[in-house]
Amino acid sequence: MKKILGIIAALALASAVFADPDVTPSVAAFNGSASIEYQVDLDNKAFGIANATPDTEFTIQFVATGDKTTSGDGLWGELKIDIGDDPVKVTGDGVANAFVVPTVRVSTAKIHFTDDDFYANMSIFAPGLGLGGGDILLATKSNGAFPSASVSIDTPAGFTLNFGLKDVVDFNLQYADNGVKPSDAKQYGFVFDASLKAVENLNFNVAAGYGTKAKKFVASAKLDYKLGLTDDLYLLPAVGFAMDEADAKKIAGGLLFGWGGTGIEANFASFSTGAKNVENNCADGVSVYLEKTLADNTALAFRAGAFDSKFLGDFGIKIGAQLVVADLANFGKTAGDAFDAAIAFSKTFDIWTIDANAGCKFTLDTSKFGALYGFGISTDNSIIENTKLYLTYAGEHAAEVGGADLKGKIIIGAKIHF
């Protein structure tokens, strides 16, 4: 404790010397809980009382997250430094202690030439020389992506010039060489892209690049447009193309019929091995997605999905399902071809909260089926103050599809908490 007080005192004194950032020691978290359970292990035919290791959380925060940015007008230099996502803090959990100091980084370094309706600035960071890419929004398994490419340069060093007309069009020129090298070892590369901003809900970008290392042109184009049908319903078509330095040409497209939120953390139950069926980052709606390299005898990947937490949300239900096929020409014959579904229910009735979940996976190539299931009922503070009473059960029969075969556990518990 004396050491902690010493650290606080030293940092408090430091705040009088260094104005940026402010050092404000404070207790950010001081919590804990303890529980006792009666467990019935159906797989091992065992039962008995279990005292869980008490959970504790103690955090002293010294410096909050934040940033510092220069300002200016006309011709000026912009520099922004960030403190990382975690603040400077000391943490303890009853098992170990840690002094957390996040990374401090320069996130922006630009020279602004003009900031009027016509704007122009130059980032002095080394460019990535990439083009295309980005997510195609789907209802489930939202890793559909616009095709991408890049220009290869050894140890690229250079700048990115950004200019355009506000709300009309935006341009970027990435230019790089391979650093300070003799003339016979020099490499050069550039990427130029343009984005249309004048049409509401339309994202349209085209790009091209070239590098002297590979002596190849690369290119990409991508487009998506959100078409509102009602206040809630919309269509979101998307299509993208890219050609890389290997002359491979790839196209991908998706269509989402949506009716609610996006980027939803569904948090469906996972198999005991950690394998998931319907993953997070869902959108209320139904979608299809296709992806193909434009060459003979290449696979045409296909995904279809559906998710809802809006129409059924008032009933405490969220549900998702998806079909994933590696190649439509060989439907159901490729490892990974599968159908997944998941459902979760959570609703409070008077003082009792009832939770239930179920999920399944069917592998098309091996015709194997697996399922998981769970149930719980709990009440918090209503019968015993500061105490949660609960009964839970979870099991699965999924060893053939990446899970395990478990009859599961029945757990009756009481958890005292703040």
Side-chain angles (χ1 to χ4, degrees):
M1 189 65 186
K2 290 182 179 179
K3 291 182 179 179
I4 292 177
L5 291 174
I7 293 171
I8 294 174
L11 288 172
L13 289 173
S15 67
V17 179
F18 302 105
D20 295 312
D22 291 333
V23 179
T24 54
S26 63
V27 176
F30 187 34
N31 294 301
S33 65
S35 62
I36 185 171
E37 297 178 342
Y38 189 85
Q39 299 183 2
V40 180
D41 188 333
L42 301 178
D43 293 285
N44 296 310
K45 298 180 180 179
F47 54 90
I49 297 175
N51 297 99
T53 301
D55 293 323
T56 56
E57 180 187 12
F58 177 49
T59 300
I60 300 175
Q61 181 172 306
F62 296 121
V63 182
T65 59
D67 58 65
K68 182 178 180 180
T69 307
T70 60
S71 61
D73 186 30
L75 184 63
W76 64 286
E78 178 185 4
L79 185 72
K80 181 178 181 181
I81 57 174
D82 297 322
I83 296 177
D85 293 336
D86 289 323
V88 178
K89 60 187 179 181
V90 166
T91 63
D93 60 4
V95 179
N97 301 302
F99 191 93
V100 181
V101 180
T103 300
V104 179
R105 66 190 181 102
V106 175
S107 60
T108 304
K110 295 180 180 179
I111 297 172
H112 290 259
F113 302 103
T114 175
D115 293 319
D116 296 326
D117 286 340
F118 173 77
Y119 58 89
N121 60 74
M122 182 175 70
S123 170
I124 61 173
F125 287 148
L129 298 177
L131 61 162
D135 292 333
I136 291 179
L137 187 63
L138 303 175
T140 61
K141 201 176 179 66
S142 298
N143 56 358
F146 292 107
S148 62
S150 62
V151 173
S152 60
I153 291 289
D154 296 332
T155 62
F159 60 87
T160 300
L161 182 63
N162 170 238
F163 59 97
L165 290 173
K166 289 181 179 177
D167 302 321
V168 178
V169 65
D170 181 77
F171 302 99
N172 289 282
L173 173 63
Q174 303 178 59
Y175 178 81
D177 65 16
N178 59 335
V180 182
K181 298 288 191 300
S183 60
D184 59 353
K186 291 297 293 180
Q187 300 172 2
Y188 302 92
F190 77 90
V191 171
F192 180 78
D193 74 81
S195 298
L196 182 64
K197 302 291 185 180
V199 181
E200 186 178 5
N201 297 324
L202 173 70
N203 296 306
F204 176 60
N205 175 271
V206 292
Y210 179 81
T212 60
K213 179 183 178 181
K215 295 181 175 60
K216 291 286 188 178
F217 278 100
V218 295
S220 72
K222 58 181 181 179
L223 178 149
D224 65 53
Y225 179 65
K226 185 176 181 180
L227 175 63
L229 303 176
T230 67
D231 289 342
D232 297 318
L233 301 178
Y234 64 91
L235 285 174
L236 181 62
V239 63
F241 165 85
M243 179 182 69
D244 62 23
E245 289 184 336
D247 293 327
K249 303 175 183 66
K250 188 174 184 179
I251 189 169
L255 176 63
L256 170 66
F257 173 53
W259 54 69
T262 60
I264 298 170
E265 300 296 295
N267 292 321
F268 289 119
S270 301
F271 293 111
S272 60
T273 57
K276 290 184 175 291
N277 45 19
V278 179
E279 301 170 359
N280 277 333
N281 195 16
C282 297
D284 289 314
V286 295
S287 66
V288 293
Y289 173 81
L290 293 166
E291 178 184 286
K292 182 177 176 60
T293 298
L294 300 180
D296 293 337
N297 302 317
T298 57
L300 176 60
F302 173 79
R303 300 181 197 132
F307 174 82
D308 179 67
S309 63
K310 182 177 180 179
F311 293 133
L312 298 175
D314 291 340
F315 302 99
I317 297 172
K318 55 187 175 185
I319 187 169
Q322 63 190 22
L323 174 67
V324 179
V325 179
D327 184 7
L328 275 178
N330 295 289
F331 183 91
K333 299 178 182 179
T334 307
D337 288 2
F339 173 79
D340 302 84
I343 186 171
F345 171 82
S346 181
K347 199 167 182 65
T348 299
F349 301 90
D350 194 16
I351 66 171
W352 298 98
T353 297
I354 297 176
D355 298 285
N357 69 84
C360 68
K361 176 183 287 288
F362 179 71
T363 58
L364 304 180
D365 58 318
T366 58
S367 298
K368 302 296 185 181
F369 179 82
L372 59 84
Y373 33 85
F375 171 83
I377 183 170
S378 64
T379 182
D380 201 1
N381 298 324
S382 298
I383 296 177
I384 304 175
E385 192 172 357
N386 305 320
T387 302
K388 179 179 180 178
L389 304 177
Y390 55 91
L391 180 152
T392 64
Y393 167 74
E396 65 183 80
H397 184 79
E400 295 179 332
V401 295
D405 289 337
L406 298 171
K407 295 178 182 177
K409 286 183 179 180
I410 301 171
I411 298 175
I412 303 172
K415 181 178 182 180
I416 306 172
H417 61 88
F418 285 100

